[in-house]
Amino acid sequence: VRGVFNVLKSMEGEDEGDGLFSWMALNDNKAGMEGINREKINKIILEASKGSKFYENELKKEQQVNQRIEKMMLQKAQITEQQFRKAEGQVEKLTADLERGRDLGRVVVHVDMDAFYAAVEMRDCPELKDKPLGVGSWRLLSTSNYHARKFGVRAAMPTFIAKKLCPNLIIVPLNFDKYRATSAEVREIFAEYDPNFLPMSLDEAYLDITDHVMHRQSWPESMRTYYLHSGCSELKEIKYDADLSLDLFEDSPSASPSVSGPAGAVVFGTCAEEAVREMRFRIEQKTMLTASAGIAPNMMLAKVCSDKNKPNGQYRIPAERQAVMDFVKNLPIRKVPGIGKVTEKMLSALGIKTCAELHQKGALLSLLFSETSFHHFLQISLGLGSTHINRDGERKSMSTERTFAEMSSVEEQFRLCRELCGDLANDLQKEGLKGRTVTVKLKNVNFEVKTRALTLSSVVSTEEEIFAAAKDLLKAEIDHMSPQPLKLRLMGVRVSGFVSGDEKKSLQKSIISFFQSGRLESGETSQHSGSFFQKAHVRRLRLQAEQQESPGPSDQAPAVEHALLNAPRKEYFTCPVCFQKQEGMDLGKFNQHVDECLTSVYTASWEQDVSSCPAQGDYIRTEEGLHHRQLQVTNVDVTEPKIGNGILHTSMGHSSIFAAHTMPGLMSQTSEGCEEKTSRNSSDLHKVHYCDGGHQRTSSSDSKFGGVYSVEPEGPGPGCPALICPICNVQQDTSDLAIFNRHVDICLNQGVLQEIGQEVVSHTPGIPFSAGVKCQGLSRGAVKRIPSVFIFILLFIIVIVYQLNA
DNA sequence: GGGGGAAGGATTC
DNA sequence: TCACGGAATCCTTCCCCC
């Protein structure tokens, strides 16, 4: 081993203690690993690892980081005095800005269960209590208990290395059902202190107990009194202390309350620390497991604090600037969440090991790192973090991946790929997600990871859809390696680029906004929507100018913009329900019209054949196609959002409503009635016909976009099959796909209208929506079951349409 | 040349 | 035992379009 070190040392020119030794070394940044024999442990780890593919890859990764550091040092050497002075000024200014925004008013708590999986196993099998324990598989450990940690055994360690470190280690397989059940019990308690707590995993959560502590001040003692374990009579008379915690952790501090009442009654105080102590006490009473907690003015600090007195302890940073700065001063950067071994190593190369040093070298960091990274570092150095626990963060991707023994067979690889797509499709469908980007992740037997992504023109969520993209990506990699086989040890599939909640709700909100328009402030309108609308409009004008026969658009566009931006207004609205142009109406009247339209469509159409609905007109096909219909409120020849006070404002918040104005190739409407637009890439296009009050309207649409059941160059010819609406299930008396399309759209929109109706009714009791709405031939329940049947029918129609085209 | 999006890799827990 | 995960997000780079 020493020989290996020496070779590496000479190769890398680094001091002992750095280089691969530290790169591969045990990460002892974990509670329960203090005072262990690092040197001995690291030798064992290195000896067990060396020569393996994993080790080779780690070596490669470390060299890459070293190269990054070298590059950074070169950059550093080139910094001039002047640049540095300027950076110092900027850092000073930014620091002052950040200081001004410092919020010490929240009481944020981070609670972390101690060695959770291992603790659950020890609780359920007390004979394990005094033995070193690893929970996981024979390949990799998920976690270990504190006995095992003394041997250097820790989470994410390969089991064979753990066994070398601790030959007596007992391995217990994971049992997620048990952990989930226990976690649910703990979360019930969390919810009593903060109903909106943010779970990070089964064993970890952030809580904002500001309100709880405030209310707690006036609580009588009886509301702050809890009793020792009622289910265990033998514990009743035992003085509350480590006795209760089953000695899971030796020498651990306990959650001992400040006051012990008679007969096992425990009274807690009113301050934040007492509240958290009480919470931990209750967790322990309920689950027989201990938790540690950190209390601080923000999430970053709370997280660091929860580790401070682990296990079974808590730590609080008072809500004072000086207390925060004192705490942060000597805090090793590696303790900060978000700083891992790469960042640690890079900062270490600059002589930064603590948060105080992070601040001292702020100017340097601003010159060497990206703005994002630098801002992050500066915030850490000032002890700043998020004071708002964001519970509404939307998921950005979903993936599944699997590691396996070497796989070289192409057939097997495609089979696995499909399997993963199936698993992922199930997961996506559980959350009702659809995404546009499919990514395949491949790790070869040398541990080299590659990802290949494909962004589609429409959203996907089913196994077939995902696999269609994933198999192409996989095939490309197989072909790339050919004639060598692609030797894999891991494959994963990810879907991202979800249709955002905003987009999903845009239609709903935009229509609701009609009902609520009076509540919106005009100030809000101009603030949010003005620039967007103007840009969208200007862009549309540019497109129009480009298509006119007049001289080059680049020359003309500014003039056209100017002329049109300053043209007298001629306003009208297109009703999003009946699609009729409404001229000469003020907002009040227009809203009234929409109300009436909605009411009539809503009450009539669900009880009658939807094909008889009078709604006619335009609609925008979106990439989401059938899944996200969008109604259009068209504002023509108006250059500012002023007319939209109330109505347009809300729509502006959801730009997709105006997608047609901004997306070349999609239809836009003018006051003249109809126009034809062509895409830049006309080869991809099919014309889609629309009818508007008897005028034929032609627009271009990317065939891959939402035209699922309408893609046809010139409409169906004679002899085409009867068209049955997949929503209302009624045969349509037309062979014109455009008319058929419109019918289906109306049917689809009614589902949305139904929801909106309900929402609006709840806000606006006076609006007479029908309570018993239903689609002809389908019960309300059946309407909700439509999607799976619907997809099959649509696929069937697509096949027919394409065959007709062919 | 800049903005924005896509792709791929890096990083973290 | 026979040999280093899975999931998600962030960051950087590249490329296209205006």
Side-chain angles (χ1 to χ4, degrees), chain A residues 461-584:
Chain A
S461 67
T462 66
E463 177 183 331
E464 285 307 320
E465 290 167 343
I466 302 167
F467 183 63
K471 74 171 191 326
D472 287 348
L473 294 167
L474 175 60
K475 186 173 180 300
E477 279 309 298
I478 291 171
D479 291 347
H480 181 70
M481 286 299 291
S482 180
Q484 299 296 314
L486 183 62
K487 294 180 182 172
L488 297 177
R489 64 169 286 119
L490 173 144
M491 191 188 292
V493 183
R494 178 165 74 229
V495 168
S496 55
F498 296 133
V499 178
S500 74
D502 280 353
E503 281 176 78
K504 281 183 194 168
K505 292 172 192 158
S506 61
L507 167 63
Q508 187 163 343
K509 283 190 177 172
S510 62
I511 294 182
I512 288 169
S513 72
F514 281 99
F515 297 97
Q516 297 174 330
S517 58
R519 299 178 205 169
L520 294 168
E521 300 294 328
S522 56
E524 286 180 317
T525 307
S526 56
Q527 185 186 342
H528 294 299
S529 58
S531 62
F532 172 80
F533 184 82
Q534 198 143 339
K535 273 187 197 165
H537 188 68
V538 165
R539 191 159 175 169
R540 183 163 63 88
L541 297 174
R542 274 216 176 101
L543 285 167
Q544 287 172 0
E546 283 170 18
Q547 288 176 358
Q548 285 166 1
E549 291 179 0
S550 54
S554 54
D555 299 327
Q556 294 299 309
V560 174
E561 276 168 28
H562 181 263
L564 290 171
L565 286 169
N566 292 293
R569 288 191 190 147
K570 181 185 167 191
E571 300 176 355
Y572 73 74
F573 301 100
T574 300
C575 170
V577 183
C578 72
F579 300 101
Q580 300 286 353
K581 190 159 64 176
Q582 307 299 323
E583 280 180 302

Side-chain angles (χ1 to χ4, degrees), chain A residues 543 546-547 663-667 675-687 698-705:
Chain A
L543 285 167
E546 283 170 18
Q547 288 176 358
M663 291 179 66
L666 286 182
M667 180 192 70
E675 70 175 65
E676 181 167 337
K677 284 210 173 291
T678 52
S679 161
R680 286 185 299 266
N681 183 0
S682 58
S683 64
D684 278 343
L685 302 179
H686 294 260
K687 285 182 179 174
T698 304
S699 172
S700 54
S701 168
D702 187 326
S703 63
K704 284 174 278 184
F705 282 17

Side-chain angles (χ1 to χ4, degrees), chain A residues 39 56 92 137 194 232 333 343 522 526 589 593 698 700 748 760:
Chain A
E39 199 183 340
E56 297 296 329
E92 213 169 289
S137 69
D194 176 9
C232 296
I333 48 166
T343 313
S522 56
S526 56
K589 281 185 181 166
H593 165 85
T698 304
S700 54
L748 281 166
V760 170

Side-chain angles (χ1 to χ4, degrees), chain A residues 285-318:
Chain A
Q285 291 291 300
K286 193 170 185 178
T287 66
M288 297 171 80
L289 303 173
T290 62
S292 298
I295 311 159
N298 63 56
M299 291 171 78
M300 187 274 283
L301 292 173
K303 167 89 179 164
V304 177
C305 285
S306 69
D307 200 48
K308 188 94 176 159
N309 281 330
K310 219 172 198 329
N312 200 15
Q314 65 182 59
Y315 187 87
R316 171 172 168 257
I317 300 177

Side-chain angles (χ1 to χ4, degrees), chain A residues 357-376:
Chain A
E357 290 161 348
L358 201 61
H359 194 249
Q360 284 159 15
K361 308 223 169 166
L364 186 62
L365 294 172
S366 76
L367 293 165
L368 296 175
F369 287 83
S370 70
E371 198 183 341
T372 316
S373 303
F374 160 64
H375 280 200
H376 184 220

Side-chain angles (χ1 to χ4, degrees), chain A residues 89-120:
Chain A
Q90 284 169 342
V91 171
E92 213 169 289
K93 188 176 174 298
L94 187 56
T95 302
D97 288 346
L98 289 170
E99 278 294 353
R100 270 195 293 279
R102 189 190 286 271
D103 177 5
L104 295 165
R106 308 306 299 178
V107 184
V108 179
V109 181
H110 179 255
V111 186
D112 196 351
M113 299 298 291
D114 302 320
F116 186 51
Y117 299 169
V120 171

Side-chain angles (χ1 to χ4, degrees), chain A residues 183 187 190 196-202 204-206 389 391:
Chain A
S183 180
R187 287 178 184 185
F190 288 161
N196 300 313
F197 73 94
L198 175 68
M200 301 301 289
S201 60
L202 288 178
E204 208 181 311
Y206 286 97
I389 298 175
R391 291 114 180 155

Side-chain angles (χ1 to χ4, degrees), chain A residues 44-90:
Chain A
I44 295 171
I45 292 174
L46 195 73
E47 189 157 12
S49 302
K50 70 181 178 197
S52 68
K53 294 276 173 61
F54 178 82
Y55 174 92
E56 297 296 329
N57 192 58
E58 286 298 302
L59 181 60
K60 207 169 106 184
K61 274 159 60 180
E62 203 223 351
Q63 283 168 350
Q64 282 168 358
V65 173
N66 285 338
Q67 281 168 9
R68 281 178 66 183
I69 291 173
E70 272 175 37
K71 203 173 142 191
M72 181 177 76
M73 297 313 257
L74 277 176
Q75 263 181 289
K76 182 179 170 236
Q78 288 166 357
I79 294 171
T80 63
E81 182 73 20
Q82 196 187 4
Q83 282 175 318
F84 193 80
R85 291 270 170 269
K86 194 179 165 197
E88 275 184 327
Q90 284 169 342

